[in-house]
Amino acid sequence: MMKQQIKIVCIFLFFCFSFFSKIYAQLCQGSLGDPVVNLTFGAGTNPGAPLNNLTNYTYFSADCPQDGSYTIANSTSNCFGSTWFNVTQDHTPGDVNGYMMIVNASFTPGDFFVKTVDGLCPNTTYEFAAWILNIIRQSSCGGTTIKPNVTFNIETTSGTVLQSYKTGDIPAGALLSWKQYGFFFSTSAGINSVVLRMTNNAPGGCGNDLLLDDITFRACGPLVTANISGSSDSADVCTGDTSIFNLQANVSAGYNDPVYQWQLSTNNGASWANITGATNTSYVRPPVIPPGIYLYRLAVSQRDNMNISSCSILSNVITISVNEFPVVDASNHGSCAGDTLSFNANDGVLFSWTGPLNFTSNAQSPFIPAAVPSNSGIYFVKVTSGKGCTSIDSTIAVINIKPVVNAGPDTAVCEGLGIQLNAAGNNITSYEWTPAIEVSNPNIPNPIAFPKLTTTYILTVANNECKTFDSVLVVVNKNPKADAGPDKVIIEGQSIVLNGNASGTDVTYTWTPLENITDLNSLSPTVNPTVNKMYTLQVRSNVGCGIASDMVLVKVYKKLFVPNAFTPNNDGINDTWFIETLEAYPGAEVKVFNRFGQMVFDNHGINMHWDGKYKGILLAPGAYAYIIDLKNNTQLIKGVVFILL
C-alpha cells in the first residue's frame, strides 16, 4: 500500500515539474483550494501603514523609498527622475485603491520579507505564489540596470527548508509587466506552520527595485473537474422548473484515500456550505424553486484532513441559475383615430405581438400609424428573457373617433370693440378657447372676444379621450387718429409748413379750408393765410372704424411784437416774458442785459419763456435791455423790458 501511495505522489509531482520548467514558476496544474493566505496589503489612501514584523527594511512614508527601504502604497509616480515606471494601480483585480509593497532593495543581499504561515494541514501539498514587477524602466541607468533576483524559501519553524525557488534575474521591460512566481511544497506529519522567506540576491546600485503583491498559499492536489451530466458547467432554468440535474466530478489520481464533499453557495461565492449527504463524486441536485444563482463545487481532501477547509482542493464552479419570468407590463398609447397607436413591453430580448386585423410584430415597441376604430381590441405579447423564460401579457386598445370642429372664418374688428366668435362641429362634449382672458366665456362655442391686438384664437374641443382644435384669426383694425400739430405764428406775407400726423389701419386724410394751402392731402402742406386761420386735419378709416379730426391755429401778425413788461409773481397772469411772434423767425436769438452790461438771459436760438431769474434767483424790478437777432440778415432789434412786481 505504501509503495502505491509513493507512486501516485511521484506521478503528480512529475506532471507539475515537467510542465513548469517552461514558465516563470512551478505552479499547481491540478486543482487548488481556497487561499489559506491571501495577502493583498489592503487598500486606502497613500501611504499605507507599515508592515509589522514582516521585514527588516525601513518603512518610508512616501511613494519613492530609498535604498534599503519600502513603502505600502496604491501608486507611485515621478520617482528618481522618472527612471521608475509610473504605476497607477496595484495587481489585485478590482481592488479600488489597492495597496502593494514597493521595495528599493538594500545594497547588501539579504532577506526582505519573512512571514510565518499558520493553519496548514500535515501531509498536504500547497502552492505558494506571488506577483512581482521590476519597476525600473529598461532605458534607465544607461540600459545597464541591476535586475532583481529573488529566492523564495519555505521552511519549517525550526529552519528546515521544505522547498526553494529562485526567480533568476527579473528583466526590466519597455512596458509595465507583472509576473507571477511560485512553486509547490508538501507538509509532512505534524507540520501545521511554515515560514515564507524572500531573499534579495542582487547587489545594490542602479536598479534592483520591485513591486510585490497578491501572496497566496493554496492547497494543491489532483485535477478535479465538475460538470452537469458530463457536459456543461452551467445551466439556466425558470422559476418553478422541476428539472433535476446530475452533477458529476472527475478526480485524477493523487490522493490515496480521498474524501468528497459537495458544497453550495447562494451569495455568489462569498461563502460556501457543505451539502448534507453529498459525499460522492456525483450529486443529484433536487429541484430548486426560488429564483437565484446557485453555485456548486466539489471539495476533495485526504481522509486524515477531512472537514478542514484549508486542506481541501476544489473543483471548478458549476452555476445553476433559477431565473424569474419576465415582468412584461404590456401597455399601449394613442386612443384617438388618426393618432399613432404605440405598444410597449418590458423585461425581454424576444417579443411576439398579435392583435386585431391580423396585427403581428417582433418589435419591443411596435406601432400602428394613423389608427382607426377597427384597430381597437386586445393585443397579446409573448416575451422571452435572455435566460429563455417566457411570459405572456395583454393590453386593451380603444380607438375613439375624434370630434370635428370649425372655429369659423377669419374676421376683423375695430379697436376697442368686441366680436362674436362662431364655432361649428359635431361629436363635441367640451370647448376651450385660448387666450381665455380675452373672451366672455371660454367654454362655449360662441363667446364674444375683446382683442386688444390682432389675435389668433385657438379652440380645443374634446369628447371622452380625444381632442382636436381649430383656430380663427381676429384682425384688430386700429381706429383713425388725427394730430394737426402745434399752433403756428407767422408775420403777414410769410408762409409756414403744418406738421400733421395721421395713424390707424388703412386711413386717408385731408385738410380744410381750401384757401391758402398747397396740398389738401399732404400731412405737411404749406399755408400762407393773410389773417388768423384755423386749419382742420380729418382722418378717415377705410375699413369702417370712423373719422378723427384735429385743428391747428395759424396766427398772422402785422409785424414783430415784443412785450415791454411782465410780472413774475406766480399769480398765473403775465408771469413770464415771451415773444410769441418770434415763432415766425426760427433760430432767432434773444439776449437780455442788466444795467451793468451783464447778460442775464440767452434763449440760445430757441423761442422760450423767461421767468425773470438769473442762475435761479429772481432779479430785482427794473429795466433790462434786450437785443434780438432775427438771423435773416436784418438790423438787430433793441429795446427795454421791465420787470414789475
Side-chain angles (χ1 to χ4, degrees):
M1 180 66 179
M2 180 60 71
K3 292 181 179 179
Q4 181 66 22
Q5 293 176 1
I6 294 173
K7 180 178 180 182
I8 292 172
V9 172
C10 288
I11 291 172
F12 174 68
L13 295 178
F14 174 77
F15 171 76
C16 293
F17 275 112
S18 64
F19 182 86
F20 283 110
S21 63
K22 299 179 182 180
I23 58 177
Y24 293 113
Q26 299 171 347
L27 300 174
C28 179
Q29 289 298 289
S31 291
L32 294 167
D34 286 332
V36 180
V37 170
N38 186 18
L39 180 57
T40 67
F41 298 103
T45 57
N46 286 337
L51 303 176
N52 293 324
N53 303 318
L54 295 180
T55 180
N56 58 6
Y57 275 29
T58 301
Y59 173 74
F60 193 77
S61 60
D63 62 352
C64 303
Q66 304 298 316
D67 291 326
S69 300
Y70 78 97
T71 192
I72 303 297
N74 58 43
S75 62
T76 183
S77 63
N78 301 320
C79 289
F80 307 110
S82 294
T83 57
W84 283 15
F85 283 109
N86 293 331
V87 182
T88 58
Q89 61 185 37
D90 71 339
H91 174 267
T92 311
D95 195 10
V96 179
N97 292 327
Y99 288 140
M100 53 198 160
M101 184 178 181
I102 303 173
V103 179
N104 190 334
S106 173
F107 280 98
T108 303
D111 299 341
F112 68 91
F113 188 92
V114 180
K115 176 178 176 60
T116 300
V117 178
D118 300 317
L120 303 181
C121 299
N123 300 316
T124 301
T125 299
Y126 285 93
E127 177 200 81
F128 156 76
W131 289 85
I132 292 178
L133 184 150
N134 184 345
I135 195 173
I136 199 164
R137 296 179 187 271
Q138 191 178 53
S139 58
S140 300
C141 310
T144 59
T145 64
I146 298 172
K147 301 174 179 64
N149 188 308
V150 179
T151 296
F152 302 103
N153 279 339
I154 303 295
E155 306 170 356
T156 66
T157 54
S158 61
T160 302
V161 176
L162 299 179
Q163 187 62 274
S164 182
Y165 177 82
K166 292 185 177 181
T167 65
D169 288 343
I170 301 174
L175 301 173
L176 286 171
S177 181
W178 286 92
K179 296 181 176 64
Q180 188 181 36
Y181 295 91
F183 54 91
F184 49 88
F185 65 93
S186 296
T187 58
S188 55
I191 295 180
N192 300 97
S193 300
V194 297
V195 175
L196 166 64
R197 186 182 304 277
M198 299 185 192
T199 304
N200 167 39
N201 301 318
C206 187
N208 199 13
D209 309 309
L210 58 87
L211 306 182
L212 177 66
D213 202 5
D214 294 331
I215 301 171
T216 56
F217 281 76
R218 304 172 72 179
C220 173
L223 182 64
V224 184
T225 57
N227 52 52
I228 302 172
S229 301
S231 57
S232 174
D233 61 359
S234 64
D236 285 289
V237 296
C238 301
T239 302
D241 191 291
T242 57
S243 299
I244 296 176
F245 292 94
N246 184 14
L247 311 186
Q248 300 174 352
N250 181 44
V251 183
S252 64
Y255 285 157
N256 60 340
D257 187 15
V259 292
Y260 310 104
Q261 177 62 61
W262 287 94
Q263 297 178 335
L264 168 66
S265 174
T266 57
N267 55 10
N268 204 32
S271 61
W272 294 84
N274 292 336
I275 301 174
T276 302
T279 56
N280 297 308
T281 55
S282 63
Y283 167 63
V284 177
R285 190 214 73 144
V288 178
I289 303 302
I293 298 176
Y294 299 85
L295 306 181
Y296 297 88
R297 69 183 184 183
L298 180 65
V300 183
S301 64
Q302 290 281 23
R303 186 170 300 276
D304 293 343
N305 297 325
M306 64 184 300
N307 299 324
I308 304 176
S309 60
S310 62
C311 304
S312 299
I313 59 171
L314 304 166
S315 72
N316 55 292
V317 173
I318 294 175
T319 303
I320 297 178
S321 299
V322 181
N323 303 290
E324 296 190 51
F325 290 102
V327 180
V328 178
D329 193 22
S331 62
N332 72 86
H333 179 74
S335 58
C336 301
D339 290 348
T340 296
L341 175 60
S342 60
F343 303 91
N344 187 66
N346 300 316
D347 212 18
V349 295
L350 297 176
F351 302 86
S352 178
W353 289 88
T354 58
L357 303 181
N358 297 318
F359 174 79
T360 61
S361 176
N362 293 322
Q364 179 178 359
S365 301
F367 61 92
I368 300 173
V372 295
S374 56
N375 291 124
S376 300
I378 302 177
Y379 290 79
F380 294 91
V381 59
K382 179 181 178 181
V383 178
T384 304
S385 71
K387 299 298 184 179
C389 301
T390 299
S391 295
I392 296 177
D393 197 11
S394 64
T395 180
I396 299 175
V398 178
I399 304 301
N400 299 293
I401 298 175
K402 284 186 176 181
V404 177
V405 67
N406 184 342
D410 293 344
T411 186
V413 65
C414 292
E415 184 178 16
L417 300 180
I419 187 168
Q420 188 168 41
L421 304 178
N422 290 287
N426 56 61
N427 199 26
I428 299 172
T429 59
S430 67
Y431 298 83
E432 182 181 5
W433 289 93
T434 57
I437 195 171
E438 294 182 351
V439 295
S440 59
N441 186 341
N443 302 123
I444 61 176
N446 54 351
I448 297 176
F450 298 92
K452 295 180 177 62
L453 301 171
T454 296
T455 302
T456 297
Y457 290 91
I458 298 174
L459 174 59
T460 302
V461 297
N463 66 351
N464 299 321
E465 299 295 328
C466 298
K467 292 183 178 181
T468 191
F469 68 91
D470 194 19
S471 63
V472 59
L473 176 66
V474 178
V475 175
V476 176
N477 291 320
K478 296 294 185 178
N479 293 332
K481 292 182 180 179
D483 181 4
D487 291 345
K488 301 291 185 175
V489 174
I490 62 173
I491 303 298
E492 185 178 12
Q494 288 183 332
S495 62
I496 195 165
V497 176
L498 303 182
N499 303 117
N501 183 56
S503 63
T505 302
D506 191 10
V507 295
T508 55
Y509 38 83
T510 186
W511 291 92
T512 59
L514 307 179
E515 295 83 7
N516 306 111
I517 187 168
T518 58
D519 188 350
L520 298 177
N521 302 118
S522 170
L523 289 174
S524 53
T526 299
V527 297
N528 59 344
T530 58
V531 295
N532 292 350
K533 186 170 290 291
M534 189 75 72
Y535 288 90
T536 300
L537 174 64
Q538 186 180 79
V539 181
R540 180 184 299 273
S541 169
N542 296 323
V543 290
C545 293
I547 300 173
S549 63
D550 191 28
M551 294 184 293
V552 58
L553 174 63
V554 179
K555 294 181 180 181
V556 181
Y557 287 89
K558 298 294 182 179
K559 61 179 181 178
L560 181 68
F561 172 71
V562 181
N564 59 7
F566 67 107
T567 57
N569 55 7
N570 293 321
D571 63 356
I573 300 173
N574 201 29
D575 283 332
T576 63
W577 184 55
F578 181 66
I579 308 172
E580 184 180 27
T581 51
L582 277 185
E583 294 288 334
Y585 300 96
E589 292 184 352
V590 179
K591 294 178 171 57
V592 181
F593 303 87
N594 62 18
R595 62 192 179 90
F596 302 107
Q598 182 183 23
M599 187 170 62
V600 294
F601 173 70
D602 184 356
N603 74 340
H604 302 289
I606 301 172
N607 198 20
M608 64 175 65
H609 293 257
W610 181 38
D611 60 1
K613 293 180 181 179
Y614 176 62
K615 294 185 178 181
I617 298 175
L618 184 63
L619 296 174
Y624 292 85
Y626 61 80
I627 298 175
I628 300 174
D629 184 356
L630 296 178
K631 294 295 183 181
N632 60 357
N633 296 318
T634 60
Q635 187 175 1
L636 296 178
I637 300 171
K638 300 179 181 181
V640 175
V641 59
F642 289 90
I643 296 179
L644 305 175
L645 291 179

